[in-house]
Amino acid sequence: MTQETLDAHKTTDAASVIDRLVTLHGLLPAFGLAQTGAAADRQTLFAGAGFDWPECANPEAVHSRQTDYPFSVDIGGGQLAAALDRTGTVRRVVTALGERDVRGATIPGVYTYKEVGFWEGSIGWEIMVDDTSLRCPTGNGFLGGVVPLFSGKADGVEVRALVSSPRDAAQSPRIDALLEIRNATDRPRKIQIAPLVLLTRGDADQLSVQVFVGEGAEGIAEMPAHGVVEAAVRISFSAPEATDAAAIQGSLEDEIAQRHRLFGQLTVPDEEWFGGQVLRLVELARQSGLNSPDGRSIGSFWGSNANPIPDVWFRDFAYTSFAMAEFDPEQAARSVAHLARYAIPEAAWEREADVHPEASGIEHSLGNAAMPAVVAHKLVVVHGLEAIANIRDELADYLKVLAGQLIELHASPNHLYSTLYISDGPSRGDFHTGSNIVAWAALVACGGDFADLIGPELAERSRDVAAQLGAAIRSRCTADLGTFGPGFVEGIYQDGRPVAVHDGEESDLTLASYFGYTDRDDPFVVNHARWAWSAENPYYAVATGGVDFWDWDDYNGVTYPGHGHVLATGTDPKSLRAALGLVRQTTDVDGSIWWWPFAHGETDGARVKRGLGKCGWVSGVLTARLLHDVYGIRRDWLNKQVTIAPFIPWKGYDWSDLPFGDGVLDIAAKVGLELVSVRLTNRTSTKLETTLEAAIPEGAMIEDIRYRGENARYQSEVVRSYSSSAVRMSGELAPNESAELVVTLRWAEPR
């Protein structure tokens, strides 16, 4: 927070609480509704359910594959998950109670069930103006990118409401709201604010709504002409605690400040939407999970939208955990502990296991078995070994079992691991490429940064097997993709023939560079992605774009993880912008992403639907891919190293206060016709080894290179990057020092 902002806060005492909070934290205009019902800042129309929450809506009343969910803005991510309608009214609430192991007893991708409390109906507050009920707010943004702000006007009265769910585990699960009612007329108005509780499901005895108007709690106030009334609401889902309006305001401010400490501040000056969307993705990944009252993670939903279904989809939760590993280490440690606890079942089960009774527990889903190690490795690389201090023993036990079984199964130097499932869908081929990449990443972690946890003998064998497996994937899991050239394939069969389809629910090739297996511009990944997003992939939906994944009906088709893979097709600013545009066109107005955006056989690319539920899987995948490969930020606190190598289709970005180690980083990138630059400021207590890389636009000539203000034409490296070149400089950066790499350009033809 700058001194100018603090000074502005001090001098606006006459302003409302909400005005002061907006001044302090900024308002991200991430959602808003046009009069047509379409998204105000988009061309697509979400056709499935409109923007109003139907009364008595129960999306799970039919088979989940045939579900269109109502529009919702979600909050939560601690002990509570809640869905709000566009007026800010709470429609659904889930609270965490516990969990149970259901491996072998249910569908293949679900390893545990959540035990939850569930409320459904209309919960919040009712505003009476001159004895007439007023319901006017519609969402228009997120305070600090985190807390939704609902606003609207009716009958000369303007209403604004901030709604949040603080995740403090020491407190009872609750929702807090700050309200502002402004009289825009020339006559006095009587305002009454009362609790609203209309339940269709849930225990009313465990629910309480407290309303505070002004400095009192009676809920009634006289509002003079052009006057303002402020109120606060606390909705508790266990025994209510003593509170007041000031405490509610402080709780909300603490929540925003905490999110800023974990994320920093990202702006993309010429593309505001993408600047805000990364934080929205992190929030949606966080909101997909629940913690029990004792602080343990009990897993996740499909995404952030609250529902009473107990399923915890293992793979979905693993991907959301990558976002936590980057931006919320405390929550990531909880996630790793949950994943490690259940990752390796005793035996395979369900459909494919009936065909392959010889499959072991680790071969039920190789990717699921190895994923906790990969998430844990990302966590300690970004935040240090202290991030796993509270789960060290549990993690070590899991890693020893994982490494031991992977080593035992590795039969020869050219060996690939078999697996039955990716998540709940069967893996394609006898040897699935992406799952073997995850196993490789887990072995690398076991033999490297986790060597002390598993012991020298297992660590050495892990390193040997990882080297052999990495080579085997490169030699055996590639093929000629015709007009697209050589590339990775989905998998191979026993006879060596490649799988001739890209499965939409395969994201490990999408993250191969994030896992460290290959470079972000590896043509084998790029060519596979371009092939997957073409008519040569028999699962590609030509009319809408995307990878189809229908099973037994025509209701759902395109599955959203395929939209994560489209980012790998971008090899220059134009193609990357097009790929990012495909993501934006199928993202809801609050930044949410839905699992099934198009029906099978859909012919209208603007007819996006809210199918099945929100897609936490892709919230995590896109966070990782955007951070690592687009913004080009790689943080390594273990080795005190930072690399900034942007590959962006915009004029630049600024990321200030990005957490790193015991401090933060300030990063800025600029892309113009005359120069490109990358700047890094080290605001930690430790000297860092840094690498800055500036991508050169195709067709541009390098006129000059300066690093820290000095000529660096001879000291710099010029490396190949995607379809062009990049200038790279490395050096040491002391605490509170900055380094900037500036490359001046010249063009053969005027631009």
Side-chain angles (χ1 to χ4, degrees):
M1 192 179 301
T2 66
Q3 185 60 46
E4 289 80 5
T5 303
L6 288 172
D7 291 342
H9 175 59
K10 294 175 184 176
T11 58
T12 56
D13 289 337
S16 69
V17 169
I18 291 179
D19 284 334
R20 293 199 298 270
L21 290 173
V22 170
T23 300
L24 282 168
H25 302 291
L27 183 67
L28 174 66
F31 67 106
L33 309 175
Q35 290 182 351
T36 60
D41 60 345
R42 303 180 20 147
Q43 296 179 351
T44 56
L45 170 64
F46 280 77
F51 285 94
D52 287 313
W53 194 288
E55 294 303 323
C56 301
N58 182 7
E60 292 80 31
V62 296
H63 191 283
S64 59
R65 285 188 177 276
Q66 297 180 342
T67 293
D68 286 319
Y69 274 79
F71 171 75
S72 68
V73 180
D74 305 322
I75 56 175
Q79 289 187 58
L80 178 148
L84 315 177
D85 67 20
R86 66 168 172 168
T87 73
T89 300
V90 180
R91 292 293 187 158
R92 286 184 149 192
V93 172
V94 176
T95 60
L97 300 177
E99 64 179 343
R100 56 191 174 98
D101 188 344
V102 294
R103 289 173 294 181
T106 184
I107 48 184
V110 174
Y111 291 14
T112 63
Y113 276 174
K114 303 181 295 288
E115 296 173 343
V116 299
F118 181 66
W119 290 261
E120 187 171 38
S122 295
I123 308 168
W125 57 88
E126 182 178 23
I127 300 174
M128 303 290 291
V129 179
D130 298 334
D131 300 321
T132 300
S133 179
L134 179 72
R135 287 177 62 83
C136 64
T138 57
N140 70 344
F142 290 92
L143 184 64
V146 175
V147 176
L149 172 64
F150 301 87
S151 65
K153 182 177 180 179
D155 193 25
V157 175
E158 299 172 356
V159 179
R160 291 196 291 176
L162 288 168
V163 190
S164 175
S165 175
R167 62 174 193 159
D168 184 353
Q171 303 286 335
S172 61
R174 67 194 189 278
I175 294 170
D176 288 340
L178 294 178
L179 309 180
E180 174 192 290
I181 303 97
R182 187 178 297 272
N183 183 4
T185 69
D186 294 324
R187 67 184 190 277
R189 312 296 291 271
K190 184 177 75 172
I191 300 295
Q192 182 174 359
I193 306 175
L196 174 66
V197 179
L198 299 173
L199 289 181
T200 56
R201 297 172 68 180
D203 185 353
D205 292 337
Q206 290 293 310
L207 169 64
S208 69
V209 180
Q210 299 169 278
V211 176
F212 304 89
V213 177
E215 298 180 355
E218 67 277 6
I220 301 175
E222 293 294 333
M223 187 165 58
H226 304 288
V228 177
V229 169
E230 294 179 344
V233 179
R234 171 157 291 178
I235 308 170
S236 300
F237 295 90
S238 61
E241 300 176 2
T243 189
D244 55 28
I248 293 171
Q249 178 185 338
S251 176
L252 187 146
E253 292 192 71
D254 288 346
E255 185 74 5
I256 299 172
Q258 182 187 54
R259 304 256 55 82
H260 180 87
R261 286 193 298 269
L262 295 174
F263 185 83
Q265 182 69 42
L266 171 63
T267 57
V268 181
D270 63 324
E271 185 53 86
E272 184 180 32
W273 189 86
F274 275 106
Q277 182 61 14
V278 178
L279 177 54
R280 295 307 309 145
L281 290 170
V282 174
E283 280 296 290
L284 292 165
R286 183 179 68 85
Q287 291 167 2
S288 298
L290 281 178
N291 297 329
S292 61
D294 63 2
R296 292 176 16 138
S297 169
I298 62 168
S300 68
F301 304 96
W302 302 318
S304 62
N305 58 308
N307 65 66
I309 298 175
D311 300 352
V312 175
W313 293 82
F314 193 98
R315 179 55 61 98
D316 303 49
F317 189 41
Y319 286 130
T320 64
S321 298
F322 283 120
M324 298 300 94
E326 293 287 351
F327 293 107
D328 194 337
E330 182 180 341
Q331 185 60 38
R334 295 188 183 104
S335 300
V336 168
H338 173 88
L339 292 167
R341 199 173 301 133
Y342 301 106
I344 305 176
E346 293 184 1
W349 74 89
E350 251 273 347
R351 306 178 305 256
E352 300 301 308
D354 293 339
V355 181
H356 300 281
E358 76 286 354
S360 65
I362 202 171
E363 292 171 320
H364 175 78
S365 174
L366 175 65
N368 282 356
M371 195 66 85
V374 185
V375 178
H377 187 239
K378 283 295 179 182
L379 173 61
V380 300
V381 165
V382 176
H383 300 284
L385 288 168
E386 57 270 26
I388 60 167
N390 293 333
I391 63 167
R392 181 183 175 90
D393 293 343
E394 190 170 10
L395 178 61
D397 291 343
Y398 153 75
L399 291 172
K400 290 172 185 176
V401 173
L402 175 69
Q405 292 196 23
L406 288 175
I407 291 167
E408 182 181 356
L409 287 170
H410 194 257
S412 67
N414 208 33
H415 177 86
L416 293 173
Y417 297 103
S418 62
T419 183
L420 302 185
Y421 300 100
I422 300 176
S423 176
D424 61 318
S427 63
R428 305 291 177 175
D430 294 303
F431 307 104
H432 183 252
T433 303
S435 296
N436 276 273
I437 290 174
V438 177
W440 171 88
L443 285 163
V444 169
C446 288
D449 295 328
F450 292 146
D452 289 345
L453 292 183
I454 67 173
E457 183 178 349
L458 273 179
E460 182 178 2
R461 290 290 292 123
S462 295
R463 290 191 292 270
D464 292 343
V465 172
Q468 295 172 13
L469 178 60
I473 295 169
R474 180 69 68 170
S475 65
R476 297 182 64 187
C477 296
T478 58
D480 183 355
L481 301 178
T483 58
F484 296 94
F488 285 111
V489 292
E490 180 80 12
I492 60 170
Y493 292 98
Q494 287 280 4
D495 61 6
R497 297 183 70 181
V499 174
V501 68
H502 169 73
D503 189 317
E505 295 189 3
E506 196 289 320
S507 293
D508 299 323
L509 265 178
T510 307
L511 296 179
S513 56
Y514 181 69
F515 295 155
Y517 178 72
T518 190
D519 294 330
R520 63 182 177 181
D521 60 351
D522 186 337
F524 280 68
V525 175
V526 173
N527 292 345
H528 176 269
R530 289 181 169 175
W531 177 88
W533 273 70
S534 79
E536 294 195 23
N537 175 14
Y539 274 15
Y540 179 69
V542 177
T544 58
V547 184
D548 219 319
F549 194 74
W550 83 103
D551 277 349
W552 49 266
D553 60 47
D554 291 344
Y555 195 78
N556 291 301
V558 169
T559 184
Y560 213 99
H563 277 59
H565 199 49
V566 75
L567 295 189
T569 64
T571 57
D572 54 54
K574 182 179 180 180
S575 58
L576 180 57
R577 183 181 287 274
L580 290 167
L582 289 168
V583 172
R584 180 172 183 175
Q585 290 165 16
T586 45
T587 299
D588 213 337
V589 290
D590 66 327
S592 297
I593 292 169
W594 296 85
W595 257 103
W596 305 87
F598 296 111
H600 178 59
E602 177 62 74
T603 60
D604 183 356
R607 190 174 170 82
V608 185
K609 70 186 186 71
R610 299 187 177 96
L612 180 62
K614 296 186 182 180
C615 189
W617 174 315
V618 163
S619 296
V621 169
L622 289 179
T623 296
R625 180 88 197 192
L626 287 168
L627 179 70
H628 186 273
D629 291 354
V630 177
Y631 293 97
I633 299 171
R634 298 92 186 260
R635 298 169 289 169
D636 184 347
W637 186 244
L638 281 181
N639 297 298
K640 305 301 185 286
Q641 295 175 342
V642 177
T643 295
I644 311 297
F647 178 68
I648 55 176
W650 314 302
K651 295 178 182 179
Y653 72 84
D654 290 276
W655 203 323
S656 62
D657 297 330
L658 176 65
F660 184 55
D662 60 5
V664 298
L665 305 173
D666 291 335
I667 303 164
K670 294 181 180 178
V671 180
L673 292 176
E674 298 181 352
L675 62 83
V676 292
S677 67
V678 181
R679 179 181 176 85
L680 172 65
T681 301
N682 172 17
R683 294 205 281 130
T684 75
S685 66
T686 303
K687 180 170 60 178
L688 303 175
E689 295 179 20
T690 64
T691 298
L692 306 182
E693 186 174 303
I696 307 302
E698 190 172 3
M701 177 181 179
I702 297 175
E703 182 72 12
D704 190 26
I705 301 171
R706 304 191 75 80
Y707 179 68
R708 291 188 164 187
E710 302 291 332
N711 187 295
R713 291 194 64 178
Y714 296 110
Q715 295 85 355
S716 60
E717 301 173 323
V718 181
V719 297
R720 191 68 181 168
S721 177
Y722 287 105
S723 57
S724 189
S725 302
V727 175
R728 184 169 66 191
M729 281 293 296
S730 299
E732 293 184 341
L733 201 59
N736 297 314
E737 278 192 336
S738 298
E740 185 173 28
L741 173 63
V742 181
V743 182
T744 306
L745 306 175
R746 183 157 61 91
W747 299 85
E749 299 291 336
R751 293 295 177 109

